[in-house]
Amino acid sequence: MTDRQVGSEGLNVDLAVAVERRLAGGGIQIDFSPPSGPLAGNQLAGLGLNLDVVPTAQRRLGGGGLMVDYIPSTIPLNAVRWSNVAFEAGTSSPLVYWISPAFQVSGTKPVVWLTDHFGVAS
Amino acid sequence: MTRLLTTGYETGDVAEAGALVQGTGVVVSVVNTAPTPRAGAYCLKTTVNATTWTITTKGFNFGLKTEVWVRFAFLAHQLSSVEYMFAQMADSAGGAQCCLTFNPTDGLIRLYRGTGTTTLLATASASVAQDTWMVIDWRTQTLTTTTGASEVWVNGNRLINFSGDNTNTANVNVQTLLLGFLSGATNAGANGSYWAYDDIAVNDTAGTLNNGRAGDGRVILLLPNGAGSSTQFARGGTDTGANYSQVSEVPPSMAQYNASAVVGNRDLYAHQDLAVAVQAINSVEVVALAMNSDAGGGNLAPTLKSGATVAEATAVGLTSTAVYVGARWETDPATTAAWTVAGVNALEAGVTVR
């Protein structure tokens, strides 16, 4: 409450300025310089536009990605596969297994290609 | 459809997942070296950096359950001979139900009821080595306040199989997995010790997929590397020249972003391909660091496009603080069948304003 009373006293100061303006009108002090700013003219203490607006709130995406939980393949990259025409590797053709004395299309440890010869995955 | 949680901290950001309880004398970080992550580029690390420390954990709330399978890769670097907890199951009220410890002296993992090393329930049937990643699958089933079951598998071998009272509280449930230094101590010899964690996942037992032991899964992050079929967001912050490159930095940040205020606007991106040989894909999740531009409400829906099928997840409410949001698909929405490598590689992912 004390602070508000001080604010009212500020308005009293404005009235004192008006007295000075009257003196200027009398021509007594022709070199009178009126106080600058709002004290010099009609005074407007406050003004505002009361609007009801819908804000354009942005949704911001700063980063992200695809999180994948996978189980790695236990099939060696050099596993040998049979395309019904030829041996190959790195394709999705069926794996080749060696069950003595022949290649098979089922088993537990696939045949692998080791640079220049066949082997069996460990 | 029962994957409840997945994280490998592949964003490189410790805030990606888990609620942090930060005590003293322990640093929680995400690292790409010391140790080398088990999969992907990053892992979680909790390091003692004082002679005295207090409880410091990451807590993963997966919802109230009576049976869960938790999987995480674990690496122990313990410089003292003292047995400490490295994982704990807490109930719906936050009370400890049971915990796992590692004893560097004998290399054995032990299961205790409650917190600490008071009530021993079971000891692993084989030892494990320090400074080597191991994959731990931990089943906790709570039946009554006196009956339940716990299993601990390490690298595919069941080392603990316990039936009995594994609940320490009156609540017959579990809700939170806690990882880190779960007890305080004074031990000068342990200064510099750390626990590292990677490839964290939680399954319950419902549904037909991800309804049991998660096994040898690895968590990786495929980053945006091209424009998708919808580009409706505007670039903000530092302009990298394309929408996809605004959101591909690791760790993610809001210094460069894509934004829209128009409900229905969608940004989709192409992503990196899987660069590993894959036996099976357990889950695919959209991970996004997102926020509102002001304190007003706003939502983003994580979105996938697989083939011609657009799958929009439930929209997530945002605040004026950037947080990680996401959504999970356990099957390919285009086929409703298990994910394939080709299906993942062809995916577009992004978000939709809601």
Side-chain angles (χ1 to χ4, degrees):
Chain A
M1 296 301 293
T2 302
D3 289 342
R4 292 197 191 97
Q5 290 168 0
V6 171
S8 298
E9 289 171 2
L11 289 176
N12 288 337
V13 172
D14 289 347
L15 292 175
V17 171
V19 173
E20 290 182 2
R21 289 171 62 204
R22 285 203 302 271
L23 290 173
I28 297 172
Q29 295 180 19
I30 57 174
D31 61 343
F32 170 75
S33 296
S36 61
L39 299 180
N42 296 329
Q43 296 180 21
L44 178 63
L47 178 69
L49 289 172
N50 194 20
L51 303 178
D52 180 6
V53 300
V54 178
T56 56
Q58 290 181 330
R59 284 72 154 174
R60 294 178 176 174
L61 178 66
L66 279 173
M67 181 166 63
V68 179
D69 180 9
Y70 72 95
I71 296 176
S73 173
T74 56
I75 300 170
L77 294 176
N78 57 345
V80 175
R81 296 168 185 273
W82 176 247
S83 71
N84 284 327
V85 176
F87 288 125
E88 54 190 24
T91 68
S92 59
S93 297
L95 293 168
V96 174
Y97 301 86
W98 173 254
I99 301 174
S100 182
F103 289 117
Q104 306 284 333
V105 292
S106 63
T108 55
K109 294 182 179 180
V111 173
V112 294
W113 179 249
L114 301 169
T115 308
D116 59 359
H117 65 280
F118 288 116
V120 176
S122 57
Chain B
M1 306 294 198
T2 53
R3 173 59 58 89
L4 305 175
L5 181 147
T6 311
T7 182
Y9 289 96
E10 295 304 322
T11 60
D13 188 349
V14 74
E16 176 187 310
L20 176 66
V21 173
Q22 179 65 66
T24 59
V26 178
V27 174
V28 179
S29 59
V30 169
V31 299
N32 58 8
T33 184
T36 301
R38 173 173 176 268
Y42 293 95
C43 65
L44 181 69
K45 181 179 181 181
T46 56
T47 309
V48 172
N49 70 346
T51 57
T52 297
W53 66 91
T54 59
I55 296 172
T56 299
T57 60
K58 271 284 198 179
F60 304 90
N61 187 329
F62 45 77
L64 192 154
K65 298 291 174 182
T66 56
E67 184 174 4
V68 292
W69 281 89
V70 166
R71 181 203 67 203
F72 56 92
F74 175 60
L75 185 147
H77 180 77
Q78 235 276 46
L79 300 180
S80 82
S81 59
V82 179
E83 178 182 10
Y84 292 118
M85 290 181 283
F86 63 88
Q88 183 182 92
M89 281 289 180
D91 69 6
S92 53
Q97 296 286 37
C98 46
C99 67
L100 298 179
T101 67
F102 174 69
N103 187 328
T105 303
D106 57 19
L108 294 174
I109 292 171
R110 288 176 170 82
L111 172 71
Y112 289 87
R113 187 167 68 239
T115 186
T117 56
T118 302
T119 308
L120 177 65
L121 300 182
T123 301
S125 56
S127 62
V128 296
Q130 287 212 73
D131 294 306
T132 300
W133 283 109
M134 64 189 95
V135 179
I136 294 178
D137 289 290
W138 183 15
R139 173 187 177 225
T140 302
Q141 179 195 44
T142 58
L143 295 174
T144 70
T145 55
T146 57
T147 60
S150 293
E151 296 177 52
V152 178
W153 297 61
V154 178
N155 295 334
N157 300 306
R158 189 168 63 186
L159 302 187
I160 289 176
N161 185 18
F162 170 80
S163 293
D165 185 0
N166 61 355
T167 55
N168 195 54
T169 76
N171 298 317
V172 185
N173 59 55
V174 289
Q175 185 163 337
T176 305
L177 168 69
L178 295 161
L179 302 176
F181 282 85
L182 292 141
S183 60
T186 296
N187 183 346
N191 192 355
S193 299
Y194 61 79
W195 304 140
Y197 305 88
D198 207 352
D199 305 327
I200 302 162
V202 181
N203 292 344
D204 70 13
T205 54
T208 57
L209 294 172
N210 296 316
N211 60 356
R213 190 163 64 90
D216 184 23
R218 323 281 173 104
V219 179
I220 57 173
L221 186 68
L222 305 177
L223 296 171
N225 67 352
S229 56
S230 179
T231 302
Q232 295 179 318
F233 281 36
R235 295 192 292 276
T238 303
D239 191 345
T240 59
N243 280 28
Y244 75 85
S245 56
Q246 294 289 97
V247 293
S248 62
E249 72 270 35
V250 175
S253 81
M254 300 307 296
Q256 52 200 49
Y257 59 85
N258 298 318
S260 173
V262 181
V263 172
N265 271 8
R266 178 175 290 151
D267 239 23
L268 294 173
Y269 317 107
H271 287 72
Q272 297 167 323
D273 287 349
L274 280 163
V276 291
V278 169
Q279 177 181 330
I281 297 170
N282 293 328
S283 70
V284 172
E285 304 185 26
V286 171
V287 178
L289 180 68
M291 63 180 289
N292 273 336
S293 61
D294 62 22
N299 303 287
L300 276 178
T303 305
L304 278 186
K305 185 177 182 185
S306 179
T309 302
V310 174
E312 190 178 312
T314 302
V316 182
L318 304 176
T319 69
S320 57
T321 301
V323 295
Y324 285 92
V325 299
R328 178 181 307 111
W329 285 264
E330 296 182 66
T331 57
D332 186 338
T335 64
T336 67
W339 284 105
T340 64
V341 172
V344 170
N345 289 348
L347 273 179
E348 295 180 6
V351 293
T352 306
V353 175
R354 292 300 173 198

